[in-house]
Structures are given as C-alpha cells and as structure tokens.
Amino acid sequence: MVFSFAAFSYICALIIDAFLIFFAIFHIISFDELKTDYKNPIDQCNSLNPLVLPEYALHVLFNLMFLFGGEWFSLCLNIPLIAYHINRYRTRPVMSVPGLYDPTNIMSHDVLNTCQREGWIKLAFYLLSFFYYLYGMIVSLIATS
Amino acid sequence: IAPPPLGPPSSIAPPPLVPPSSIAPPPLGPPSSIAPPPLGPPSSIAPPPLGPTSSIAPPPLGPPPSIAPTPLGPPSSIAGPPLGPPSFVGPTSFVRPPVAPPPTVAPSASLSQPLSRPPMGGSSTSQPPPATFQRPPITSYPTIASSVAPQTSTNQQQMQRQYQQSPAAAVYQSNVTRDGWNVGWGTDSVDLLQQRQVLPPGGVEPPKPVLAQDFVRNCIPDILRCTFTKVPETKSLLQKAKMPFGILIHPFKDLEQLPVVSCQQIVRCRSCRTYINPFVVFRGERRWECNLCYRINELPDEFQYDPVSQTYGDPSRRPEVREATIEYIAPSEYMLRPPQPAVYLWLLDTSRQAVDTGYLQIVCDVLREQLDNIPGDRRSLFGFMTFSATVQFYLMPEESDSVNMLEVGDLEDIFVPHPDDLLVNISEQRDQIEKLLKTLPQTHANTTHTQSALGPALTAAYRLLYSLGGRLTVLTSILPSIGPGILKAREDPNQRAATDVLHLNPATDFYKKLALDCSGQQIAVDLFTLNSQYIDLATLSGISKFSGGCVHHFPNFHVHLNPSSVSPFVSCLTRYITRKIGFEAVMRIRATRGLTITNFHGHFFVRSPDLLSLPNINPDAGFAMQVGIEEPLHNIRTAAFQAALLYTSSRGERRIRVHTLCLPVTGNLHDVVNTVDQQAAVALLARMAVDRCQNSTSTDARDALVNACIDALTSYRNSLTQSPGRALMAGHNLKLWPMYTLALLKSISFRGGLSTKLDDRVFAMCELKTLPTRALIASIYPDLYPVHNLSESGALNIDDEVVPQPCRLQLSAEYLNRDGAYLADTGSKMIMYVRSSISTQWLNDVLDVEHFAAMPQMIHELPELDNNTSVLLNSFIKHLNNNRPYQSPILILREDSPARLQFAQLLVEDRTEGAKSYVEFVQFLSSNVK
C-alpha cells in the first residue's frame, strides 16, 4: 500500500484537527469560567492569547497541504474560516503582544457572548470536518491501492 | 415597615413615639416634618361643631372630636405602615374628601398635608382590634388599596391645579376628565410639532418609582437611578419599548446625612450575598426573604435589638431596613490585608514647556495651603517625583531634615533609589515636605529639557507604590517623547472639522497595561493635562480609565498668557486634594434574579461579571451599567438593584456603602414607555454612543443616537390607544428626549462640522463616561436663566438668605430679549451674556459700570455690591454653586465680545453649521416616527 500525498495530508489534517478540537473546548471552558466568576480576566487573557496564533497556524498548515495535494473541495470548505481568522486578527484591539483578547473589554457581555458563540461554532465545525477528513483519508487510501 | 406599638388610642401620645435619633440621623425624615402641623391644628380644626353630623367634615377627622387630634398624630411618626388593616375601612370614603373642594373644610393650609394621607387619620377611630395594632403582621405589606389611596388624593389635587392652569382644558371640554386624569397620573402628552416650549420652567425632576410599600424610602435618584421607573417584565417587552435599560450610579457621592452602622455581623443573604435592605420581606420575627433571590434567611439575635430606641424585639426598626443608603463598618473578614494607609504620590512634569506655563508654582502653593486638609490619619504617606528627559526623585530621609534630589537617566529599565525615603509621613516630616514644596519651583525654573519621559516615570511610580497601593497624581503638559510609552502627534489639524473623527482609540497599549498592573496593586492614577499642544489624551487617558482614576483637562493653561485659566485650575485642584477618598475599593452590583448587568461605563476595571475593581473611589465619579433581562420576571412585583461599595477610608477603616433601589415590575407596554426616565436614558445613551465612537465611527454613533430617539417616540406612539394622526406625540416623561438628543449631537464629543481639537473631544467623552447624571445633563443641556429681572416673588428662603428662582429658558436665541442678561450654567462653568440694550441701572447695580459701552469685553468675577439686585444675583449664583464639587468659574460676556461664541455654542436649539435646529430636528423625527 502506497501513500499518496493527498492521503498523507488527510492524516495530518486528522491529527491536527483533533488538537483544534481541544483548543476549541479549552476556549469554551475558559469563557465559561469568566462568565461564572471563577477566573480573573487578566489571567484568563494571558492564558488564551498565546494560543490564538498557533491555532491559526495549525489550521493554515493542513490547508496548505490540501492546496499542494490538490484537494480543492476540502480547501474550499476551510477557506471561509481562514478568511474569518485573518479578519478577526486584523481588527483586534491595540495590543503589544500577540493574541486577540483584551482584559479590559472582555467582560463586556457582547464580547463574552461573541467569543463563546465563536467557540461553539468552531467546535462544531472541527468535529464535522474531523469525520470528513476521516472519510477523505479512506477515499484517498482506497483510490491509491 | 415600622409598626410601633400604637396601643389603644388613648395612649397614642405622639412624643414618646419619636425615638431619640442617635444612630440613624434621619430615621424620621419626612414624617417628622409632617408631625408638627397635625398635632397643632387639629385642636383648632376639630372643635366639636364639625361633629358627626357635619357633612363637610372630612371623614377621617371623624366623629368624636376628642380623638381627632390623636389619629393624626401617630401616623406622622410612623412613616406609613399602620395603614395596613385599618384602611380597609373603605378607601373610597377616604379618597373622596380631598376631591371635594377643600377650602370649605380646611380652616388652615396646614390641614391639606394631613389630608393627603387621610386613611391613617380615620383608621384609628374605626376601632380595629388593638391587638392587630400592636403587631401588624409584618409580612403583609399594605395592599394596593391602602397604598393607592394617598396617591390618588394627591393626584387629584394636582389634577385640580391643572384644571385651573391649562387653557387646553377650556378648549377641549369633552376631554377634560381624561386629560385631567392623564395629567394626574403623569401620562399627559404633547405634540412636539405644535408645542415648542417643553422644558418645565422649574427644572426637570426625575420621575419617582411608585412602590406598593411607598412608606419605605427608596435610594435617592442622585445616587442610583434607573432608566425606567417601572421595570419591563420580559425581554420581548423591553424590545418592544425600544429604550435603553440600565442604571446610573454615583456611589460615593458626598452626603450630608449617612447612617453608619457598626455591628458584629452584617446581615446578608446566604445564597446571593445581598445586604439586608428596606425592601426585604420579613417572614415572622426571625426570618427574612431576600428580595433579589427569594431565599429565606435567618436573622441573627443582634438584629432584634434596636439601637435607636435601645429596645429588643422588633427587627423592622433597625436602620438597615429603614434606609436605602447605609454604610457599614466592616469587620475583619472583609479585609484581604490590613487596611492600607492613605498614600499620595505626585508626579509632576518639569519639562521646559510645562515650567513655562507656571503651573508648578500653583500646584506647590495649593498643596502647601491644603496640607492640613488632605484626608488621612497618622499613617498617611506623601511623596514627590518629577520628570522631564530624566526622572527625578526627592529623598526626605527621616534622620536629617534635608531634601535631596536624585536624577535617574536610565529610562529603559528604570529603578527606584532609596524607596524608603521617597514616601514620608505627612505629620512627622511635615517640615521637609513644606521645604520641598517651597523650593521645587525654583529648582526647575531654569530647566532646559524639552522632552518628557512620562512612561518611565509612571513605571517608577508604580514600582514605588507597588507594595502599598494608593493614589498617584500625574500632571503633564507635553506628549511623552522619550523612553517606553512614547507617543506621536497623530492629530491632523485640517481634519478637526471632519464628520468622522479618527484616532479616538489608543495608539499603544503601554498605558492600558500599566493601568491594569496598577489596578492589581490598588494604585489609581489621576491625570491632569495642562497642554497647549496635542498630547494624545486618547492614549494617555488609558492610565486613568482602567485604574479607577479621574482625568482633568485644562487646555491652553498659562499663568500669564491665559490668566482666566488659573482660577478653574486652582479650585479644581483644591477640591481634588481635599475631597474624600476611598482606597482599595471594589463595587459589586447585584440585581433581582433574571436581570443581569451586560455592560459597564466609567473608569474601573471589570474583574468579574458584577464586580468592579476601583483602586480609588472619589466622590465625583459616576458609573453606568446596561442591564439585560435574561429570565422573565413573571409573578414578581418589584425588582431591585443593589450596589455595594467596599472601601478603605482615609482613616484606615474598612467600610461598605450599600445603595438599594427598588422598582415595580410591569407587563404593560404603556406603563413602561410612560414611566421612562428621559434624563437617565439619555445619559446612558450618551455613554453607549461614546463606546460606539471608539468601536465604530462617529457618524455611526450620531445615527445611533438619532435612531434611539426615533425608536423611543415610535414605541410611545405605538403605546397610544388611538392613533395621533400626523402629530408627533411625546409623553410627559419623553418630551425632552429629542431636545437632549439634539444637544448631544451638538456636544463637543459628537459634533461634526465644527472645528474641535481631538484632545478636547476625547476629554469630553471621558466626562460623559464618568459624570453623575445631573451634571451630565447640565453639561449637554445647560440651564439658562434670565437674570436681569430677578425678583423676590417665588424666591426660596435658605438660612435667612433670599434666593430668587428665575424660570429656566430653552436654549435658543429666540428666547433672549435685547434688554436682558442671561446666565448659562453648564455645571463646570457659568457664562453670563449681557445684551446691548440692557438697562444702565442694572449694569450699574450689578457690574458697577456706567453704560454698556463702558463694560469690559470679558469679566471673570461678579462683583458683590451693596444693592438689592446685586445681592439677589450673588445669592442666586451662590445657590447654584451649592452641592457641586467646586465653585464654577463665571465668565461675563457682553453681546459684542469676540468670545460670545462660547455662549452661542450653548444655544443648542438654534441651527449651527452642519447641524439642525430644534424645529428641523423635530420635523425630521416626525417624518421617521411611524
């Protein structure tokens, strides 16, 4: 059995996607803690901010692999999310450190709700795409054998 | 609820009921003021002739004249509750009497007061079993019937007055009754297209929430105020009302009377930690039901003791359940560390530009004068730092009495030399401090540094205060130009009149991050900017915004070039130094279950969804919170908000100030819309619009303000039972909204088209965020008084001083006569505008000038002359200056003075460049309200 590059990229995407699912869960839990008064927003932002760019980078990484592997459909599925990430980072508050979350406005109800909704939607997206990548991997493996 | 033992009627001698007021200063506030008249007059009124037969006799005064004096007595001292059972005797019979023209009944005016609360009077004559009087069931609040009765009567009195005044009643004979009722209930409406004069001449009083327990005093609106006086029951109802829902709070307001309670155990709800308040319900003697989460809690034994009358057995007489604003002295479990001493560190700008303005001398002089008035105790610490291109420290070692200056030039990683000698005890080392204050201006008189190392200086100050906390006061006058925190001049002078304002957001997060660090160490940073050039207040203000500090801005301050700028600075600084201060404070806002706080406005750091961290709290800071309805408030009659401010006083005491506001809940759109508090709503909208400016654009914020106004008027229109046709109807509580909106659109913060410096605009936005409601409204829509014809008719008499009360005018040039003089009062300044045809007599009397042509262009002080006109005017201005942080500077302009624009800008109802006049605005609204 020989691996095609497409199959390899799906396997990578699967593994990375599992990480992303963990990121999303962590994100949701963090904001829930903020909402229920358990954590100080400064600490919480300090723990969340360093994770933002790695998450984006991992996501872009397997999409690059899709691009080189010619998996256009999978790529198209992910392009909206990449665009959203870029826009989100472009409009972030003025900060001197990498990250998105500003402890001074994070406690505002709107921001908190937006972030939490973002977490849930991303979680759903990553979960669904996990099964899709699994399917994609099997298809490409069968195609090569 | 205070059910004092009324006992059998015969024993109702009023005096013994008045408890010696030792703890709760105003326990009997209003009632006691009522008390005297009823006791007096009855004897003169009640002479037997009225007897049982006389039909005119108000029933309450009832049959046996010998009892008549007594029934009127007790209620007055009981603040209401005894209404309970007796009023069932028949509210109707009591409601009527006042309606029948009272003159025939009332021999003296004093009777009308007791009459307005008739049920109590009659009650005791109708012999309810004395047993129920001894202890009326505490749990049963007076029912609707009993509480409505007094209101109805007052409303009807109002109604009668309106009959006589309003000419409309004569015209629309058929609607007389309905109109009268509407007026009485405060639901009258005006057509804004027809009626231009909507401002009540006596000023706008905030609407009062009407509670079933109307004998309980609610929090005063100056402290805690909600945009609705009836809370909408559900989220959908709130959305239908299309009005902002929120509370405005001024938690540390200077109060003349504040009950202070010191007890071993502060009674709080065990589940939601609400403090016991006047709106809780007692379930039996030993239990109470929290009015926020409805948990039933136990009362501690201590609570059975009434410190006022020094008796046991009646929890409802404790000051905690009588006063909606109360202060506790907190026991040790409210301290995370021993209460900190008062620590004051001053950080002054000594660059060439700053020294040239001459501010250093003024600050040192004022400080030296006020050194004794700085709040604090024996532990208070005081220190100085200055900065230019380097940071200078002033060592005041305890063993010698010299003062040494140390200069640190390493700005990248600044260190604090000899931290122990920098902050010194005010009382022990006073001489050294005075010496420093004397020599400081000379030391820097010849400085050649033209740069400002504000960032490193702030970092050093933060490190110095790190372990202590306290207050850091920064005075600066140029853009930080060296070291970390460096800023660039971002403002483009050609864009000052642009409709979309750029650079309202910080350029760097250096100051914000430092502010958060400060906030964590209980340090507040207060910023005074005395700049003539751009200083990037949008970025710099971050240092105060998130550390609970305040911002003061004195543009173009200069001792010689701009002498009029000195006195406002001095009075502001004096107030700043001497006002009360609370250290290491936190404020928590609790609300009835179902309501949540969604957004906060003000200077603080939000630490958790309902907790604000305020390293310092000052008595001039206001806050606002937007409220959302998460769960419907079904089956709930009242909703309450409680703000608890925990702070360390300057004397090292840990204290908690608790304010509780209780509001009725309604499911009726008409009620919600009609009882809105327009001033509070506009103040909240202004704060939301500031946020919108920062997150979006100014155009967007302006549109949002206009849309909010259109929405409010639309939902009022929808709430009317019959369609008003093309008229633009607005209720009594809504009619000023368009005017205020227009004033906001033309305020410094939001105006477009007029050249406005960016710093001035940002400062105005900071003010909008932090001013208490009354001051905020005055700053956007100043009070305008005609002062050329002050008279003693209708004047108040305060402490043997006659204070005339001229009517307020709307802010339009059309209301100004050519021969008048007008005083506009914005709260922070007063401008008197003297028109050219003013009588020479008046000029002579008031300003001591012969004729108009001889009057100077600008006068900065109103002379006090020995004639009636001048005395009246001066006492009026003095009266206006009461109850504000500091005396407003006055500026007297003659009509042709080049500075008259300052006055003209206040006339917000006239058309200005790029903005509509009031009439145009109302027409515009009317075309959009559907």
Side-chain angles (χ1 to χ4, degrees), chain A residues 22 29 47 55 63 68 71 107 115 129 133-134 137 141:
Chain A
F22 282 119
I29 293 176
S47 67
E55 182 196 330
N63 278 293
F68 296 130
E71 294 296 319
M107 295 308 290
C115 289
S129 45
Y133 299 146
L134 197 65
M137 180 188 76
L141 281 178

Side-chain angles (χ1 to χ4, degrees), chain A residues 34-37 39-42 93-97 102-104 107-110, chain B residues 506-509 512-513 516 546 588 596-599 605-610 630:
Chain A
L34 269 186
K35 229 179 179 174
T36 48
D37 209 349
K39 281 275 175 71
N40 183 331
I42 301 180
V94 181
M95 288 167 74
S96 52
V97 290
D102 174 5
T104 57
M107 295 308 290
S108 141
H109 208 253
D110 301 338
Chain B
T508 145
D509 70 340
K512 183 166 73 182
K513 266 167 58 186
L516 291 183
F546 304 109
R588 201 182 279 277
T596 48
I597 310 284
T598 57
N599 266 312
F605 173 60
V606 189
R607 216 158 59 191
S608 72
D610 58 350
E630 289 217 322

